[in-house]
Structures are given as structure tokens and as C-alpha cells.
Amino acid sequence: MSSIEDHPERNVIRVQLAHNLVLKGMSVGQMAELEPRLVVVDCQKGEALLHQGVHEMEQYFILEGILKRVVSNQEAKEMILRFADEGQIETSYAAWRLGTPAPYSIVCVTRARVAKLPLRDWAGFLEKHQGLKQSFEYEVMHHMSEVMAHTITLHLLDAPGRVKRFLRKHPELFDRIPKKELASYLNLSAETLSRLKQRGKI
């Protein structure tokens, strides 16, 4: 864990932040105000950044790698809600604003690097920059809508249809996500996913 200023790759990290979906519209002054609050973390595959049920939450800006949002029941059965990669964000902002525990975990699908800060600090920053707050909250709502659409898809589409929808929506991720993870997200077995590919159904 390192501040951006002290990081040996700080110039690359600053470019990555400048291209982030939420931060790319920020002024030089806004970025200079935000940067000292951020820390950079390198994470291993399978490492959890956020644990379901906690109250202390953080805002994540993805610099490298892929994260997944995953929910578990008491029997440890998991459901993957979404994937996010470089240039995107992950957050539990809605739960934090409501004062409820994190409703899901955020876990690294691959090795990853993120810039992060506590959600209370991020919310305080947003209050001073209303234009950024609006675009960020729009992105949060977009994530919620995306998760809902995915959940509906699991019930309405057959196996090939689910895979084709993912290919249409996220073609850049198809070959980067381990097939076991992708199969889990699509509520398929890894064998079924492989079989569909072999038969030319996808």
C-alpha cells in the first residue's frame, strides 16, 4: 500500500486515473485535491477487497486487473453479480449511504491494482463537487440496473442465450475471465460452457 506521490509508478497511475470512467471529467485542481487521499494497493488473485456484511467500506478505482462483485448465503453458495476491469470503479456506496452492511464482497478475479479511499472521505469530496457527484451516482445506478438485468437474464434466457448476451455486452472480458468464473456468473457448469463452445453454439 502506497500513496501515489511515493509510488515508483506514479506517472503511469496518474494517467490511469485520468482515464477512469468517473474521474476523467475532473479538473487538474480537483485531481490535485483528491490524489493525496488515495492509496494504491496491489492485490493477488482471489483476494477480497471488501467482505460482505462489514460496515467499514471503501471506494475503488481499478487501475489494472479484473474484480467481481459476489454475494454468498449462509451455506457459502456464491452468486457473481458483475465484473469490472481497468478504468472502471467498484463501490458499495448505496449501502454506505443507507447505513446498512455491505451486501456483497468485492474480490480480485485476476491480479489487480486499485486506488482506494474510505467511502466517508469520497462522499465528503463529492459534496464539494456536485457535477462529479451526479456523474458518480449515475454510474452507481447504472451498476444496480446492470445487476438487475443480469439476474433477470439468468431466468429468461437459455444457456447459449446467456453466453451470447455476455459476448455482446462484454466482448473485451470474454477471454480474460477464467472460464470457471464466467460459467459461475452465467449459472452454468464449466463443462457446459466448454461444450457450447465446442459445438459452435457460441
Side-chain angles (χ1 to χ4, degrees):
M1 199 152 54
S2 167
S3 68
I4 293 174
E5 182 59 39
D6 294 334
H7 200 285
E9 296 177 51
R10 57 185 171 273
N11 292 334
V12 172
I13 289 167
R14 284 169 177 148
V15 170
Q16 290 170 325
L17 287 171
H19 287 90
N20 184 273
L21 187 66
V22 168
L23 304 181
K24 62 184 179 184
M26 286 175 57
S27 67
V28 173
Q30 287 173 326
M31 190 62 86
E33 183 185 346
L34 178 63
E35 185 182 296
R37 306 177 190 212
L38 296 170
V39 293
V40 177
V41 185
D42 288 301
C43 317
Q44 299 301 312
K45 178 180 177 180
E47 187 174 337
L49 292 169
L50 175 74
H51 292 277
Q52 184 176 329
V54 302
H55 283 269
E56 286 295 316
M57 306 179 212
E58 297 175 305
Q59 172 65 32
Y60 305 100
F61 302 99
I62 307 170
L63 305 175
E64 297 172 17
I66 301 172
L67 308 183
K68 65 179 177 180
R69 187 181 289 191
V70 59
V71 64
S72 316
N73 65 12
Q74 290 182 330
E75 289 76 44
K77 185 175 181 181
E78 293 187 345
M79 179 182 180
I80 300 173
L81 302 177
R82 72 181 294 261
F83 295 106
D85 64 349
E86 299 90 355
Q88 297 187 41
I89 63 165
E90 253 306 354
T91 189
S92 49
Y93 178 76
W96 182 83
R97 288 295 299 262
L98 291 168
T100 56
Y104 43 74
S105 300
I106 297 172
V107 180
C108 299
V109 175
T110 64
R111 290 184 63 172
R113 174 178 287 175
V114 301
K116 67 175 188 172
L117 75 165
L119 264 172
R120 63 181 176 276
D121 293 351
W122 174 237
F125 180 81
L126 291 176
E127 287 303 321
K128 295 191 285 182
H129 304 284
Q130 288 298 309
L132 181 64
K133 182 180 180 183
Q134 286 181 353
S135 61
F136 170 72
E137 290 186 344
Y138 175 85
E139 191 60 28
V140 171
M141 288 187 286
H142 176 68
H143 290 176
M144 293 167 76
S145 175
E146 184 184 75
V147 168
M148 187 177 294
H150 168 62
T151 305
I152 292 168
T153 294
L154 295 182
H155 293 281
L156 296 185
L157 295 182
D158 61 8
R162 278 175 259 163
V163 180
K164 286 174 182 173
R165 182 181 183 274
F166 184 84
L167 277 165
R168 189 174 70 253
K169 293 277 187 181
H170 308 286
E172 75 289 353
L173 290 178
F174 188 77
D175 290 323
R176 296 184 61 204
I177 295 172
K179 292 301 174 271
K180 184 180 176 183
E181 299 268 13
L182 181 58
S184 175
Y185 175 72
L186 297 172
N187 198 24
L188 305 170
S189 68
E191 292 76 20
T192 298
L193 183 60
S194 177
R195 194 161 54 245
L196 287 170
K197 196 167 184 180
Q198 286 169 1
R199 291 177 180 174
K201 296 286 184 71
I202 55 172

